[in-house]
Amino acid sequence: MNSKQIEYTLELAKTKNFNRAAANLFITQPALSYQIKRLETEVGFTIFERSGKGITLTLAGQTFCERIALLQQELKASIEDCRNLNRSYDDVVRICVPFRTAIHYLSEAIETFNKTYPNVFVEVTIDSQPNQYQHFLQGKYDLFNAIQSTLTPQKDIQQIHLYNSNVYLVVNHQDTLAKLTAVTGKHLKGRTLLVGGGSPKELKQLQQQLVTQLHLKSMTSANHETTLTNIAAHRGVCLVPGLLNDYNDEFSWIPFEPTVKIPCVLCQHQHNQKAHVTAFVDVLQALYQD
């Protein structure tokens, strides 16, 4: 199976028509049919059912197309990454960050780092999927950013403290609480507290404590984006780690007191002590200390 066959199969799965797919691909219909037949012979199952009414995906074909669509995305990303590395770079620092906002000074760190290491490319992957930590353990990344309490300690992994994220109450600008410079639990009485949303252990404990002690109504949000939507819809307010603040001024972020500190770390392989990787960690730590 080659990249062209993947492209042809996905286009045919989308159009459900050989002639239309061939036209979109700028090839002839017989050439498309030939490549699809070759692929089906190679994989050993029928991808498309042909009939006088047209074509449909088999159950195996549907699953196959879903999987190869992911492969195609990964292939395109790999090609782009390698093109970047080919632009006169000698080495690379690969870092995975769960959210764009999780390392506020990341872009500044890259700029500062490249003044000393102009030939080292900093490759940033932003992905919050749980399997990314496993990919880090397998060596895909040099550095991995995470909330410390979400990690299982590994003897070969060094956890480098980066910063403590405080907790904020997030509300609409029209909310009366938005005028305050700090809030405490007493300000939440009579409110609906949005909970869940992938909250770290420290925040879940605080949420449960407030709901129980203050007899608050609560509503579960699936993730941070859903939480913000619910806040915008005036369904409730939410306690959120500062690391998720994108500073776009859409909502009011009010410091919650007494705050709960959520330690955030960089993970580094102990066997990977390359000078440029360690130097990049030092730059990040220095920015947060300042």
Side-chain angles (χ1 to χ4, degrees):
M1 180 172 62
N2 56 46
S3 60
K4 283 294 184 185
Q5 289 173 327
I6 292 176
E7 181 183 7
Y8 293 171
T9 301
L10 292 176
E11 183 62 33
L12 185 57
K14 181 173 69 175
T15 63
K16 305 292 194 304
N17 183 286
F18 272 98
N19 289 327
R20 193 177 305 125
N24 292 344
L25 294 165
F26 301 101
I27 61 174
T28 64
Q29 187 271 330
L32 175 59
S33 297
Y34 173 72
Q35 290 296 336
I36 296 298
K37 191 64 179 175
R38 280 191 60 187
L39 180 58
E40 289 179 326
T41 300
E42 179 184 343
V43 298
F45 56 83
T46 301
I47 302 172
F48 299 98
E49 289 284 5
R50 288 85 163 168
S51 70
K53 296 181 180 179
I55 63 168
T56 57
L57 283 163
T58 64
L59 179 59
Q62 178 67 42
T63 302
F64 180 68
C65 287
E66 291 171 357
R67 303 279 178 87
I68 64 173
L70 297 175
L71 286 176
Q72 186 187 54
Q73 293 174 6
E74 183 69 24
L75 178 60
K76 288 180 178 179
S78 297
I79 291 172
E80 290 302 317
D81 290 343
C82 291
R83 282 176 178 166
N84 287 333
L85 294 176
N86 193 46
R87 294 169 184 161
S88 70
Y89 291 103
D90 299 327
D91 218 323
V92 61
V93 176
R94 294 185 171 90
I95 179 171
C96 184
V97 182
F99 314 101
R100 181 183 60 82
T101 57
I103 302 184
H104 180 68
Y105 296 112
L106 183 57
S107 57
E108 187 175 344
I110 293 172
E111 186 176 5
T112 301
F113 172 79
N114 280 142
K115 291 177 182 177
T116 306
Y117 293 88
N119 296 324
V120 177
F121 183 74
V122 180
E123 180 183 291
V124 181
T125 298
I126 300 176
D127 196 332
S128 61
Q129 295 298 317
N131 61 359
Q132 292 301 317
Y133 185 57
Q134 189 62 36
H135 291 166
F136 163 74
L137 295 177
Q138 294 168 354
K140 184 176 180 179
Y141 307 111
D142 300 301
L143 300 170
F144 186 84
N145 170 239
I147 295 171
Q148 190 173 33
S149 61
T150 66
L151 300 173
T152 301
Q154 305 282 336
K155 67 175 183 178
D156 297 327
I157 301 301
Q158 179 183 6
Q159 293 185 8
I160 305 161
H161 183 264
L162 198 58
Y163 64 91
N164 289 323
S165 180
N166 293 333
V167 172
Y168 295 79
L169 182 72
V170 181
V171 300
N172 283 296
H173 289 306
Q174 299 81 12
D175 196 300
T176 55
L177 295 179
K179 299 177 182 179
L180 301 179
T181 57
V183 294
T184 64
K186 68 179 182 181
H187 294 104
L188 300 181
K189 290 184 177 180
R191 299 295 187 118
T192 296
L193 186 65
L194 300 168
V195 299
S199 300
K201 178 180 68 176
E202 298 91 341
L203 184 52
K204 285 182 179 178
Q205 291 174 344
L206 176 61
Q207 291 170 344
Q208 185 59 47
Q209 176 184 336
L210 292 171
V211 168
T212 301
Q213 292 180 351
L214 302 175
H215 307 289
L216 301 178
K217 294 180 180 179
S218 64
M219 176 179 175
T220 302
S221 284
N223 50 50
H224 181 59
E225 289 72 21
T226 304
T227 296
L228 294 182
T229 301
N230 286 328
I231 294 172
H234 300 276
R235 289 176 169 172
V237 298
C238 190
L239 294 169
V240 182
L243 64 94
L244 292 175
N245 192 346
D246 57 10
Y247 298 96
N248 68 2
D249 203 36
E250 184 179 1
F251 300 95
S252 292
W253 289 65
I254 313 162
F256 184 82
E257 296 178 355
T259 191
V260 172
K261 294 187 180 297
I262 303 173
C264 297
V265 297
L266 281 176
C267 297
Q268 181 179 359
H269 300 275
Q270 288 190 351
H271 66 270
N272 183 0
Q273 298 298 322
K274 292 181 179 179
H276 57 271
V277 175
T278 301
F280 186 68
V281 173
D282 291 342
V283 169
L284 276 171
Q285 285 187 300
L287 285 170
Y288 275 98
Q289 288 170 3
D290 289 343

